Amino acid sequence: MEIRRDDPTAPHVAGLLAHHLAELRGEMADFAFALDATGLAVPEVTFWTAWRGEVLTGFVALKQLDPQHGELKSMRAAPEARGTGVGRALLDHVIGEARARGYDRLSLETGTAALHAPAGALYRSAGFIDTDAFADYRPSPHNQFFTLSLRES
């Protein structure tokens, strides 16, 4: 699998990103905070795609909240790539990038619906712990928040 920096507005990303947004907004309505291509293309967000040969298998983004704090945004494995290690590879990539940038912590927001259970398990297996809402998020029964300390112990 190859993970490369990419353009979230590129045509090869459009279908998977549309699927991602439709699924989240269909499940969570006003509590889905996933960014569209325009939101993922701002300077404080870095976007990567995962590939197996010529097949797009997923994407992930990292948003800088401040010089010590990053947010994992919009991580998605393509439906046909679920269970193949794409999510773990993307998560490991973002954690490595956050460490390389010198962040003290990496946080994320995700949903509480059943479709989010595998993602929550993946985040916990990487050392993320439950935390309070951060940045501009507000707590709700539809959202959960995680953080990972990146400081050396």
Side-chain angles (χ1 to χ4, degrees):
M1 178 182 334
E2 177 187 1
I3 297 175
R4 57 182 125 156
R5 191 166 177 169
D6 212 333
D7 176 0
T9 66
H12 60 264
V13 176
L16 183 55
L17 183 55
H19 169 75
H20 176 66
L21 294 172
E23 184 175 72
L24 293 179
R25 290 176 180 159
E27 186 71 34
M28 299 172 59
D30 294 335
F31 297 97
F33 299 109
L35 299 175
D36 62 12
T38 302
L40 291 168
V42 298
E44 61 271 17
V45 175
T46 307
F47 183 81
W48 294 273
T49 50
W51 298 83
R52 283 209 170 98
E54 297 300 313
V55 178
L56 175 65
T57 59
F59 61 75
V60 69
L62 176 60
K63 180 179 182 179
Q64 180 169 313
L65 298 175
D66 66 47
Q68 287 79 43
H69 188 192
E71 179 184 2
L72 187 154
K73 294 294 297 181
S74 299
M75 192 166 85
R76 171 60 66 148
E80 59 277 4
R82 287 186 181 152
T84 66
V86 173
R88 172 64 67 187
L90 288 168
L91 182 59
D92 289 348
H93 181 82
V94 166
I95 292 170
E97 179 66 22
R99 286 185 196 282
R101 292 181 183 189
Y103 293 164
D104 291 334
R105 68 185 168 127
L106 182 60
S107 300
L108 66 93
E109 173 276 333
T110 192
T112 57
L115 73 96
H116 296 98
L122 176 64
Y123 301 138
R124 285 185 177 92
S125 76
F128 282 83
I129 59 171
D130 294 314
T131 192
D132 294 328
F134 62 94
D136 294 333
Y137 294 108
R138 299 291 170 254
S140 85
H142 306 283
N143 305 92
Q144 56 186 324
F145 305 94
F146 294 95
T147 195
L148 175 68
S149 174
L150 300 172
R151 289 186 223 137
E152 297 298 322
S153 40

